[in-house]
Amino acid sequence: MENKFDVIIIGGSYAGLSAGMALGRSLRNVLIIDSGKPCNRQTPHSHNFITHDGKTPKEISDLAKEQVLKYETVKFHEGKVRKTAKNTAGFEVETENGKKFYAKKLILASGVKDMMPDISGFAECWGISVIHCPYCHGFEVKGEATGILSNGDIIFEFSKLVFNLTKDLTLFTNGKADLNDEQLEKLNENKIRLIEDEIKKIDHENGQIQKVILKNGKEIPLKALYAKIPFEQNINVEDLNLELTEHGFIKIDHFHKTNMDGVFACGDNVTMMRSVPNAVAQGNFTGAIVNKELSEEDF
């Protein structure tokens, strides 16, 4: 019975731990499986999370894990999931070291893997001064020389948020801009610079960006660079035939149910609003919904 649970949660960061607490407090036997490689592991400080503003991501997750594991029915296994499968009793989860676990329900809080562009220095700055979210990082670089790396409607819409925080703004499309005349006129009206030349390198000191160096040799001094980059799911969605949205997120309904009965998802893998407080809220809600479903089945 030691490898059989009511719920297995794949992913032990903020969403997974939050779901685990909700279920642990409901006396559910829960296993949280986590590989120990959160996407924000380079980020020096987490912000916009009331009561934890300014703490390191690890401080928050370590405290959360300590509190969650005080509930005796919640267990933690460090490892990476290799395979998930549905069976007659529920679900089977196999880790890379060959261990198998079984559960009635699955919660996928597995996050996403960011795909770094082929730009020297980008990965070293990611989460430090090359950032993704103005709500998580914008206040700390307000008024500073700031860039946005993206293209099309995304870079135009995103520039509105960043322009609220700094008027010293440069957009990098890393190639020909995919913007219409109306958008270009609005950027010009707000004195937002547009650079279509390709980026060669990000010059930095210990992850703190100093300047963007273009392939044509020009150098653009910056303090921060927002970047909208592609990602892929950490979990193999094909194992369970999970549907994805047009943007690549796991498709869920209002109760965080996926198209596979008994499988739920929460956190960065279902939303573009990637933040610690959002993940915590989603995990708490998903844990409650899963407990409700189990309670109805048991009653």
Side-chain angles (χ1 to χ4, degrees), residues 2 25 32 48 50 73 80 159 194 217 219 237 252 263 289:
E2 65 180 17
R25 290 182 57 80
I32 301 172
N48 205 32
I50 194 167
T73 60
K80 184 173 177 60
S159 67
L194 177 65
E219 299 182 354
V237 296
I252 56 173
V263 180
I289 292 296

Side-chain angles (χ1 to χ4, degrees), residues 199-225:
I199 297 173
K200 176 184 178 181
K201 178 182 179 182
I202 293 176
D203 187 46
H204 68 97
E205 292 182 8
N206 299 317
Q208 295 293 342
I209 189 171
Q210 304 297 306
K211 54 192 173 183
V212 169
I213 301 175
L214 305 176
K215 288 184 178 180
N216 62 12
K218 291 183 180 178
E219 299 182 354
I220 315 297
L222 286 182
K223 286 291 185 180
L225 176 68

Side-chain angles (χ1 to χ4, degrees), residues 43 45 47 127-128 131-141 226:
T43 305
H45 301 286
H47 291 285
I128 302 172
I131 50 185
H132 79 288
C133 172
Y135 297 104
C136 302
H137 309 286
F139 184 86
E140 283 63 46
V141 291
Y226 291 92

Side-chain angles (χ1 to χ4, degrees), residues 96-115:
E96 286 188 338
N97 59 9
K99 290 191 176 182
K100 294 183 178 181
F101 304 96
Y102 305 88
K104 300 174 185 175
K105 309 287 182 185
L106 280 185
I107 296 178
L108 306 179
S110 42
V112 295
K113 179 182 178 182
D114 294 303
M115 309 301 289

Side-chain angles (χ1 to χ4, degrees), residues 107-238:
I107 296 178
L108 306 179
S110 42
V112 295
K113 179 182 178 182
D114 294 303
M115 309 301 289
M116 302 294 166
D118 186 21
I119 298 173
S120 176
F122 187 98
E124 291 83 354
C125 294
W126 182 242
I128 302 172
S129 60
V130 175
I131 50 185
H132 79 288
C133 172
Y135 297 104
C136 302
H137 309 286
F139 184 86
E140 283 63 46
V141 291
K142 64 183 185 299
E144 299 285 2
T146 301
I148 303 175
L149 173 59
S150 188
N151 207 342
D153 291 339
I154 294 175
I155 197 171
F156 180 76
E157 294 301 325
F158 199 64
S159 67
K160 298 175 184 178
L161 291 175
V162 180
F163 188 68
N164 176 60
L165 296 165
T166 180
K167 302 301 182 276
D168 189 353
L169 183 58
T170 303
L171 307 189
F172 298 87
T173 55
N174 204 31
K176 184 173 176 55
D178 182 17
L179 296 165
N180 60 42
D181 291 342
E182 185 179 344
Q183 290 170 330
L184 291 170
E185 184 179 344
K186 181 58 69 173
L187 293 178
N188 186 58
E189 180 183 320
N190 286 307
K191 297 181 173 57
I192 297 174
R193 294 173 292 277
L194 177 65
I195 294 179
E196 298 179 275
D197 300 293
E198 292 187 16
I199 297 173
K200 176 184 178 181
K201 178 182 179 182
I202 293 176
D203 187 46
H204 68 97
E205 292 182 8
N206 299 317
Q208 295 293 342
I209 189 171
Q210 304 297 306
K211 54 192 173 183
V212 169
I213 301 175
L214 305 176
K215 288 184 178 180
N216 62 12
K218 291 183 180 178
E219 299 182 354
I220 315 297
L222 286 182
K223 286 291 185 180
L225 176 68
Y226 291 92
K228 291 295 185 181
I229 61 175
F231 65 88
E232 62 182 16
Q233 292 288 335
N234 276 325
I235 195 80
N236 185 354
V237 296
E238 294 180 359

